[in-house]
């Protein structure tokens, strides 16, 4: 199974896809050159995803300035972590900032507070059963 990439890179990938979708929709307007109102609708509909991608890129840039940069233990390159757990941008190694989660099964549920607390309680209860 293919590991997902870093959260920031996935969001940027969606923003890039939005640009290409917008361009494709705008290109469809060429087939309606004889009806100017239909061509204008396709041009406007194609502009919307491009503008949305601009907003997404700006948002990710603002988030990227607040992230924690760590050195990956696997590839020893610096990567930005968004949340408590994330993947390395380069080698897709699971990374965590939380000491309690080290060595545990990796899941992105640790980034959501109520899910993280539930998982940590499960880990603690399993540890108590073993002792």
């Amino acid at each position: 199974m293919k590991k997902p990439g870093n959260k920031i890179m996935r969001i940027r990938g969606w923003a890039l896809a939005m640009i290409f979708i917008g361009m494709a929709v705008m290109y469809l307007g060429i087939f309606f050159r004889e009806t100017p109102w239909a061509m204008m609708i396709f041009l406007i509909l194609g502009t919307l995803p491009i503008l949305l991608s601009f907003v997404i890129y700006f948002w990710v840039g603002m988030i990227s300035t607040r992230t924690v940069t760590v050195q990956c233990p696997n590839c020893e390159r610096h990567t930005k972590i968004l949340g408590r757990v994330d993947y390395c941008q380069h080698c897709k190694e699971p990374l965590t900032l939380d000491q309690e989660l080290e060595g545990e099964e990796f899941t992105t549920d640790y980034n959501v507070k109520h899910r993280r607390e539930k998982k940590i309680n499960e880990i603690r209860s399993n540890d108590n059963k073993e002792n």
Side-chain angles (χ1 to χ4, degrees), residues 8 59-69 80-83:
I8 292 174
W59 175 64
V60 167
M62 300 308 325
I63 288 175
S64 183
T65 60
R66 293 184 280 137
T67 58
V68 178
T69 304
K80 293 182 178 183
I81 293 183
L82 189 60

Side-chain angles (χ1 to χ4, degrees), residues 6-122:
N6 183 282
K7 268 190 235 172
I8 292 174
M9 299 304 282
R10 284 186 296 194
I11 296 170
R12 285 180 181 160
W14 278 106
L16 182 63
M18 296 287 289
I19 289 174
F20 286 119
I21 289 169
M23 290 173 61
V25 170
M26 292 172 96
Y27 187 73
L28 289 174
I30 291 178
F31 295 115
F32 297 98
R33 273 182 274 181
E34 288 77 28
T35 54
W37 60 270
M39 184 175 178
M40 185 60 76
I41 288 174
F42 277 101
L43 291 178
I44 291 171
L45 288 177
T47 305
L48 294 176
I50 292 173
L51 291 176
L52 182 63
S53 73
F54 171 75
V55 171
I56 291 171
Y57 272 121
F58 182 77
W59 175 64
V60 167
M62 300 308 325
I63 288 175
S64 183
T65 60
R66 293 184 280 137
T67 58
V68 178
T69 304
V70 297
Q71 186 173 9
C72 177
N74 188 27
C75 66
E76 298 185 1
R77 296 170 75 181
H78 292 282
T79 187
K80 293 182 178 183
I81 293 183
L82 189 60
R84 292 191 182 262
V85 294
D86 204 355
Y87 291 97
C88 176
Q89 288 175 297
H90 310 287
C91 67
K92 295 184 173 50
E93 177 77 17
L95 302 172
T96 183
L97 296 174
D98 198 348
Q99 297 293 329
E100 292 181 333
L101 302 176
E102 285 186 13
E104 299 299 329
E105 182 181 343
F106 185 83
T107 178
T108 56
D109 287 342
Y110 294 131
N111 288 327
V112 181
K113 186 176 180 178
H114 68 277
R115 291 182 191 161
R116 177 178 61 247
E117 291 171 355
K118 182 180 176 185
K119 292 278 188 182
I120 289 174
N121 289 336
E122 288 176 5

